Amino acid sequence: MDLVHPQLSAFTAVLEEGSFEAAARRLSISPSALSQRIKALEDRLGQVLVVRQAPCRPTAAGEVLLRRVRPMLALQAEALADLLPERGSDATRTPIPLAVNDDSLDTWFVAAIAELHQRHGYLFDLRMDDQDHTLELLRTGSVLGAVTAERRPLKGCNVHPLGAMRYRAIASPAFARRHFSAGMQAEALASAPMIVFNRKDELQWRFLRRLTRARMQPPVHYLPSSTGFVDAAARGLGWCLAPEALVTPAAEAGQIVVLEPRRWLDVPLFWQHAAVRSSTLQHITHALRTAAGNTLR
């Protein structure tokens, strides 16, 4: 049973699954029938909504529609659970799309969604990006909520503070002796290899600016893995910033050292979600704030 118009369900399914074939399989209809629904919706609105490439993505008009439809799907699932309790499990079969940064995913976030799954049966579709960029996924309607570094709420969204993730500068003991025997001075920082998550990651550069105003271009490794950061540092690949929750066990085991014990970088995190009266969002918000409170500062 689908309370949302079939054309809108087809529209969201295509964008979530990335192709007409996968969306048709999910909705148990033929790709031709699904294509007809999308075309009828576009004709009705007088605008192209889906860029028909691999993977399919929304046009600017499609993003506007997706932002409106996404909360409706959450409310539909709740309505089905209330009106048809014998089909309550059906209401939780569609994964809830959420955006989260990699460091949160590797430290506290999984504990929250595991509790939500056990208690409510929710499934999740997680989209990962840097905390400075996850909000774009919420802005385009790709997700229902996002863990973000942005404290200002998007239009039509609510925001909740989660706490601050503390980052420590680390390296292997041998790397620290070789490059930073006199501390993290500008000359040493200019030549010591640095590990960066990806080209969106500004944390290491932000820390460098705190240490010195000198302009430098140190050697850089790009390594898109939070847990891999600590392992790479322990193996002498370079120095980096890593979440304190991941640093502490490795430091206690002697695998890495904290390079500047009196200096760190705190990144405040926030949970933003569509501003609708939804028990699903209330449950998610409570679980995220509880789990974050056990790890973040």
Side-chain angles (χ1 to χ4, degrees):
M1 181 178 180
D2 197 345
L3 302 182
V4 173
H5 196 283
Q7 293 174 359
L8 294 177
S9 295
F11 167 69
T12 55
V14 165
L15 296 177
E16 288 175 352
E17 300 299 330
S19 73
F20 280 67
E21 291 75 15
R25 186 165 54 248
R26 171 173 137 183
L27 297 176
S28 299
I29 61 176
S30 69
S32 175
L34 184 135
S35 180
Q36 290 174 13
R37 291 183 185 182
I38 299 293
K39 184 65 167 58
L41 181 62
E42 291 177 329
D43 290 344
R44 181 181 177 188
L45 297 178
Q47 299 187 71
V48 176
L49 301 173
V50 177
V51 178
R52 290 159 171 79
Q53 296 177 347
C56 293
R57 57 184 177 83
T59 63
E63 290 178 357
V64 173
L65 181 62
L66 192 58
R67 282 199 302 271
R68 299 295 186 182
V69 173
R70 184 71 67 191
M72 290 170 54
L73 296 175
L75 295 175
Q76 170 182 274
E78 294 170 12
L80 288 175
D82 290 340
L83 297 173
L84 301 171
E86 72 279 4
R87 293 185 56 187
S89 60
D90 291 355
T92 59
R93 283 183 180 174
T94 301
I96 301 168
L98 304 176
V100 60
N101 61 310
D102 188 68
D103 291 335
S104 293
L105 189 62
D106 283 339
T107 51
W108 61 270
F109 194 86
V110 171
I113 61 173
E115 179 191 350
L116 287 163
H117 174 70
Q118 293 164 7
R119 182 168 296 184
H120 303 287
Y122 298 150
L123 299 176
F124 295 95
D125 180 1
L126 301 184
R127 320 288 174 85
M128 192 180 68
D129 207 337
D130 184 85
Q131 63 270 1
D132 293 323
H133 299 272
T134 50
L135 203 61
E136 183 62 24
L137 294 168
L138 183 58
R139 181 180 289 109
T140 61
S142 297
V143 297
L144 193 60
V147 175
T148 173
E150 178 55 64
R151 69 177 67 240
R152 292 173 298 181
L154 284 179
K155 183 179 179 180
C157 292
N158 292 333
V159 59
H160 307 271
L162 295 172
M165 181 166 287
R166 177 160 293 181
Y167 289 85
R168 297 281 190 174
I170 62 170
S172 70
F175 187 97
R177 288 192 299 269
R178 183 165 64 253
H179 292 279
F180 301 125
S181 58
M184 300 186 79
Q185 306 298 323
E187 184 178 355
L189 287 166
S191 61
M194 183 171 72
I195 307 172
V196 176
F197 187 83
N198 59 26
R199 286 167 176 80
K200 294 180 180 179
D201 182 9
E202 289 290 323
L203 290 181
Q204 277 70 216
W205 301 106
R206 204 179 303 169
F207 191 70
L208 281 180
R209 289 192 292 271
R210 285 194 177 186
L211 294 177
T212 174
R213 294 183 179 180
R215 293 189 177 185
M216 59 185 70
Q217 292 295 327
V220 175
H221 298 286
Y222 293 102
L223 184 67
S225 168
S226 293
T227 52
F229 257 41
V230 177
D231 184 50
R235 294 176 183 274
L237 196 64
W239 75 273
C240 63
L241 291 182
E244 191 172 54
L246 299 178
V247 166
T248 301
E252 291 176 348
Q255 298 171 331
I256 54 95
V257 294
V258 176
L259 297 172
E260 291 282 341
R262 296 184 180 181
R263 293 192 179 187
W264 53 80
L265 193 64
D266 282 349
V267 177
L269 294 176
F270 303 86
W271 163 242
Q272 291 208 33
H273 62 80
V276 295
R277 295 177 63 86
S278 161
S279 59
T280 299
L281 284 172
Q282 290 177 353
H283 294 152
I284 294 174
T285 298
H286 176 73
L288 293 185
R289 296 190 73 178
T290 300
N294 294 330
T295 301
L296 305 183
R297 291 178 174 269

